[in-house]
Amino acid sequence: MNNHIKLFIPGPVEVSEKTFKAFCSPMIGHRSESFKELYRSIHPRLQQLFGTRQPVFLSTSSAWGVMEGAVRNLVRGRVLNCMCGAFSDKWNDVSLRLGKNTCRLQVEWGEPIRPEQLDEKLASGQFDAVTIIHNETSTGVLNPLSDLCAVAKKYPETLLIVDTVSSFSVLPINMDELGIDVLLTGSQKALALPPGLALFSVSERAFQRALEIPDRGYYFDFLEFKKNQEADMTPSTPSISHIYALRSKLDDIFAEGVENRYARHATLNTMVHDWVRRHGFEFFAPEGYRSLSLTCVKNNRGIDTVKLNKLLKENHHMIIDGGYGKIKGTTFRISNMGDETPESITALLNALDDCLARL
Ligand SMILES: *Cc1c(COP(=O)(O)O)cnc(C)c1O
């Protein structure tokens, strides 16, 4: 672990020694009593974090598996994709590749999805489901989730699929209260686990919908997950290592206190924002819609971000992200997810100061 390059990119993020130790626990059979105990031991805490009384499932895949699976399980005919950045745009492409009839609510990268825009689209036709990304990681935009959910509630035939891959455990998200039908997240962002596990929960009416859909496939069949979870198991052999690591992470989260965790992320995010302002940079996302997990900085000073990152890596053994897709170079991103602390973010910002001075 010593001398590795510490990741301040928005996923994967740094994984702690404690988590790695848990990840390396000895194997157990996935149909054994020990496995069932393991799943049982984490399930109530997962429900609490999801804000749901519904079952929480563990998928051995990255988040995209469940993002694709949600469309497959819930959409017969039309799906509306809310698109405001690389990940949400791709969800439309994935829906098309599944042969679904898709409709696009596209806004400029850097802009949030506004509730009135969603209302207008949903009113324009019948949709089986709508896909929303809470925190669009590519642009650093935090969409106004509770307002969007309130709009979606007006259309009971349209099920609500929400990706919280980079916001889960950073701020409170209450699935049942918000009326979300599929809430999904991944392991390598704010949970600071190695990549390869996705977590999700499904509402009762989404299970009812899945029953009506014949070609759900097998690996991501929500009804298979439901049946197996009732016996404290997963449909196929899961990454047991990830589940051990997840248990260790849940111990950490509840030892810190969930509210304290949210407050810590807000504090760290503010520290990065102060640094951005201090150096005369601007934000890519408008005020009021900025991510609490990461900061997408507008490179209005026109610095050489490739060189900045090279200096950071060589001199300080850290890296940030040089911007995603079409906004590479014109933006850069700094993550404050996972186990970071005021001390570690201060160390990063000091290192960035040093590198900026050498550009
Ligand atoms: C990282 C990310 C994904 C994709 O996760 P994978 O682990 O690559 O499948 C999806 N949505 C958001 C918002 C993300 O940040």
Side-chain angles (χ1 to χ4, degrees):
M1 289 288 287
N2 293 335
N3 265 333
H4 71 291
I5 305 298
K6 184 166 177 182
L7 302 180
F8 287 95
I9 60 174
V13 303
E14 174 85 355
V15 175
S16 73
E17 300 254 10
K18 176 173 184 277
T19 300
F20 270 128
K21 207 159 164 244
F23 193 87
C24 292
S25 302
M27 279 306 111
I28 51 176
H30 66 296
R31 303 292 179 222
S32 68
E33 198 48 44
S34 305
F35 180 81
K36 294 178 184 190
E37 269 169 34
L38 174 62
Y39 198 170
R40 266 201 300 276
S41 74
I42 61 171
H43 193 257
R45 287 182 287 174
L46 290 176
Q47 284 180 309
Q48 190 179 329
L49 286 181
F50 273 74
T52 190
R53 298 165 71 143
Q54 292 298 109
V56 178
F57 304 131
L58 308 171
S59 170
T60 298
S61 65
S62 81
W64 273 114
V66 179
M67 291 164 80
E68 176 169 320
V71 174
R72 256 197 118 166
N73 275 263
L74 305 191
V75 180
R76 274 173 310 229
R78 289 183 90 200
V79 58
L80 174 65
N81 302 115
C82 297
M83 302 158 66
C84 62
F87 292 102
S88 48
D89 288 6
K90 188 169 164 186
W91 218 347
N92 177 251
D93 180 40
V94 168
S95 307
L96 283 169
R97 291 184 198 206
L98 288 169
K100 303 301 177 190
N101 184 350
T102 73
C103 179
R104 302 148 67 99
L105 196 185
Q106 175 95 66
V107 300
E108 284 290 316
W109 281 30
E111 287 300 315
I113 303 288
R114 315 252 174 197
E116 52 284 7
Q117 296 170 321
L118 179 63
D119 205 0
E120 195 185 315
K121 279 284 183 196
L122 286 177
S124 74
Q126 278 283 319
F127 297 100
D128 288 338
V130 54
T131 66
I132 297 175
I133 290 192
H134 184 203
N135 191 69
E136 176 47 78
T137 316
S138 62
T139 61
V141 166
L142 184 68
N143 281 306
L145 187 61
S146 54
D147 295 343
L148 295 172
C149 291
V151 168
K153 270 188 186 164
K154 291 167 51 186
Y155 303 88
E157 271 307 297
T158 306
L159 302 185
L160 180 54
I161 307 170
V162 180
D163 162 326
T164 63
V165 174
S166 59
S167 53
F168 185 79
S169 85
V170 170
L171 68 166
I173 300 161
N174 194 313
M175 172 174 153
D176 290 355
E177 240 171 57
L178 293 171
I180 294 170
D181 293 292
V182 178
L183 185 72
L184 69 102
T185 191
S187 56
Q188 81 276 22
K189 306 273 169 96
L191 288 173
L193 303 173
L197 187 75
L199 298 84
F200 68 108
S201 183
V202 177
S203 74
E204 212 43 62
R205 59 180 195 151
F207 286 131
Q208 292 304 319
R209 171 71 61 76
L211 272 172
E212 299 165 16
I213 308 243
D215 53 351
R216 302 185 301 277
Y218 168 69
Y219 197 71
F220 296 106
D221 179 359
F222 288 0
L223 300 177
E224 281 290 337
F225 274 94
K226 182 171 189 280
K227 192 175 77 193
N228 277 277
Q229 188 280 331
E230 282 163 8
D232 305 307
M233 290 188 291
T234 52
S236 54
T237 319
S239 173
I240 295 165
S241 306
H242 273 96
I243 304 174
Y244 277 123
L246 176 60
R247 182 174 67 180
S248 164
K249 179 55 60 184
L250 289 169
D251 290 346
D252 298 345
I253 290 174
F254 284 89
E256 179 180 17
V258 177
E259 294 301 325
N260 293 337
R261 180 180 179 85
Y262 299 149
R264 173 168 58 83
H265 283 117
T267 302
L268 302 181
N269 192 249
T270 301
M271 289 171 67
V272 178
H273 281 207
D274 290 346
W275 179 90
V276 168
R277 291 192 188 91
R278 201 157 64 236
H279 287 279
F281 288 112
E282 291 165 11
F283 299 92
F284 193 62
E287 175 123 48
Y289 300 96
R290 290 180 191 145
S291 171
L292 292 165
S293 313
L294 70 131
T295 306
C296 185
V297 185
K298 194 189 281 182
N299 185 12
N300 51 293
R301 284 177 49 186
I303 61 162
D304 183 343
T305 54
V306 174
K307 189 165 178 210
L308 177 76
N309 228 356
K310 189 166 180 278
L311 289 170
L312 189 62
K313 185 175 175 183
E314 284 170 3
N315 297 295
H316 301 278
H317 302 285
M318 300 171 183
I319 55 166
I320 59 169
D321 175 89
Y324 198 108
K326 65 183 183 191
I327 52 174
K328 194 181 176 78
T330 56
T331 61
F332 57 95
R333 299 179 300 164
I334 303 171
S335 164
N336 59 266
M337 289 186 268
D339 302 327
E340 300 312 327
T341 61
E343 293 70 33
S344 70
I345 292 290
T346 300
L348 168 71
L349 299 177
N350 288 341
L352 281 170
D353 284 347
D354 174 57
C355 298
L356 269 183
R358 296 192 206 197
L359 277 182

